[in-house]
Amino acid sequence: MASKLKILIVDDDNNIAELISLYLTKECYDTKIVNDGEEALSAFEQYQPNLILLDLMLPGIDGYQVCREIRTKSNVPIIMLSAKGEIFDKVLGLELGADDYIMKPFDSKELVARVKAVLRRYQPVKQTPAAGQKCVEYPGLVVNLSNYSVLYNGHSVDMPPKELELLYFLASSPNQVFTREQLLDHIWGYEYIGDTRTVDVHVKRLREKIKDHDTWSIATVWGIGYKFEVKE
């Protein structure tokens, strides 16, 4: 029998944390609750979760710092929870490496749906060789969606699932322009509560890891969106 996926819940309001745990255990996830940032970092090492639900306003080390420290050593999916709805807060969370951002108060069904969506993207789909691999190749770049790997100039590049999927989607349709709304729909797969700057943040992170090549680049189409430009 496959083991349950583990979710670490970090929230200083234990009532909210227990409620989230109840929702998720009904969906057959294993959960662990901690109430502050230091506990979260310790539990991350010991519990080895498959996903972290991380409140931003924590005593001691806040959620932003917890996310920053975890991202130095792991690409485990992180969904931030916060009553702070300013665009700045959302963008900052995404820039630090969060995979999603959910506003409090939240609907239980939406929370569960977001968790499932992020975990689906994080867990590579197993394919038999006969099924064929989802892979695109360009000079100096190989993006493999079958095993969620990226090779850049012969070296493996660590990427969270959304970044890799965004790169694969763009590279799969060279020179085709996509609006930010189209990219949100294709990569995130649901109506994202936030704004289209989510796409800009992920493109920025991709560009920090994947520099333009002589024959290809991740190009901005001003006023529209982005494309994977291949030079003839």
Side-chain angles (χ1 to χ4, degrees), residues 149-167:
S149 66
V150 175
L151 285 176
Y152 174 61
N153 290 335
H155 298 285
S156 179
V157 179
D158 289 331
M159 286 188 186
K162 283 193 184 75
E163 285 181 31
L164 190 148
E165 289 173 4
L166 178 58
L167 178 60

Side-chain angles (χ1 to χ4, degrees), residues 20-70:
I20 293 172
S21 178
L22 178 63
Y23 297 149
L24 295 175
T25 52
K26 284 183 178 179
E27 298 292 328
C28 296
Y29 294 111
D30 185 76
T31 64
K32 180 178 180 64
I33 295 172
V34 296
N35 303 119
D36 64 54
E38 289 187 6
E39 278 189 283
L41 293 173
S42 176
F44 166 73
E45 299 289 352
Q46 297 171 10
Y47 185 54
Q48 294 291 301
N50 299 100
L51 181 144
I52 301 172
L53 287 171
L54 178 62
D55 186 34
L56 292 182
M57 305 302 289
L58 297 170
I61 304 174
D62 67 18
Y64 290 121
Q65 184 61 28
V66 171
C67 181
R68 185 181 290 111
E69 292 195 25
I70 289 176

Side-chain angles (χ1 to χ4, degrees), residues 132-151:
Q133 288 195 338
K134 294 182 178 180
C135 184
V136 292
E137 295 188 33
Y138 294 94
L141 179 68
V142 180
V143 186
N144 192 325
L145 195 63
S146 298
N147 60 13
Y148 275 65
S149 66
V150 175
L151 285 176

Side-chain angles (χ1 to χ4, degrees), residues 42-232:
S42 176
F44 166 73
E45 299 289 352
Q46 297 171 10
Y47 185 54
Q48 294 291 301
N50 299 100
L51 181 144
I52 301 172
L53 287 171
L54 178 62
D55 186 34
L56 292 182
M57 305 302 289
L58 297 170
I61 304 174
D62 67 18
Y64 290 121
Q65 184 61 28
V66 171
C67 181
R68 185 181 290 111
E69 292 195 25
I70 289 176
R71 276 292 171 261
T72 64
K73 49 194 168 187
S74 173
N75 282 327
V76 62
I78 297 174
I79 299 178
M80 288 186 168
L81 306 175
S82 178
K84 299 172 72 174
E86 297 298 324
I87 294 300
F88 169 81
D89 298 304
K90 297 176 184 178
V91 172
L92 177 58
L94 292 167
E95 286 183 334
L96 291 175
D99 294 270
D100 205 346
Y101 191 108
I102 301 179
M103 285 290 301
K104 293 180 179 179
F106 48 78
D107 178 80
S108 61
K109 291 181 180 178
E110 180 189 359
L111 175 70
V112 171
R114 295 286 188 98
V115 167
K116 288 181 176 179
V118 170
L119 284 171
R120 274 199 305 273
R121 286 187 290 274
Y122 185 74
Q123 301 296 323
V125 177
K126 295 182 179 178
Q127 293 186 316
T128 62
Q133 288 195 338
K134 294 182 178 180
C135 184
V136 292
E137 295 188 33
Y138 294 94
L141 179 68
V142 180
V143 186
N144 192 325
L145 195 63
S146 298
N147 60 13
Y148 275 65
S149 66
V150 175
L151 285 176
Y152 174 61
N153 290 335
H155 298 285
S156 179
V157 179
D158 289 331
M159 286 188 186
K162 283 193 184 75
E163 285 181 31
L164 190 148
E165 289 173 4
L166 178 58
L167 178 60
Y168 177 83
F169 183 76
L170 289 169
S172 296
S173 300
N175 295 322
Q176 182 173 341
V177 179
F178 295 97
T179 67
R180 291 168 175 81
E181 290 79 7
Q182 287 174 320
L183 292 172
L184 277 173
D185 183 57
H186 281 285
I187 305 306
W188 278 256
Y190 50 80
E191 187 177 352
Y192 188 80
I193 297 180
D195 72 339
T196 53
R197 289 182 64 189
T198 301
V199 175
D200 299 335
V201 169
H202 282 74
V203 168
K204 177 185 175 184
R205 281 155 50 180
L206 278 176
R207 285 171 169 162
E208 290 171 352
K209 299 173 183 178
I210 304 292
K211 305 300 181 184
D212 290 348
H213 190 272
D214 291 340
T215 62
W216 54 262
S217 64
I218 302 172
T220 300
V221 182
W222 296 108
I224 302 176
Y226 297 98
K227 67 177 178 177
F228 190 88
E229 184 174 18
V230 177
K231 301 174 180 63
E232 299 295 338

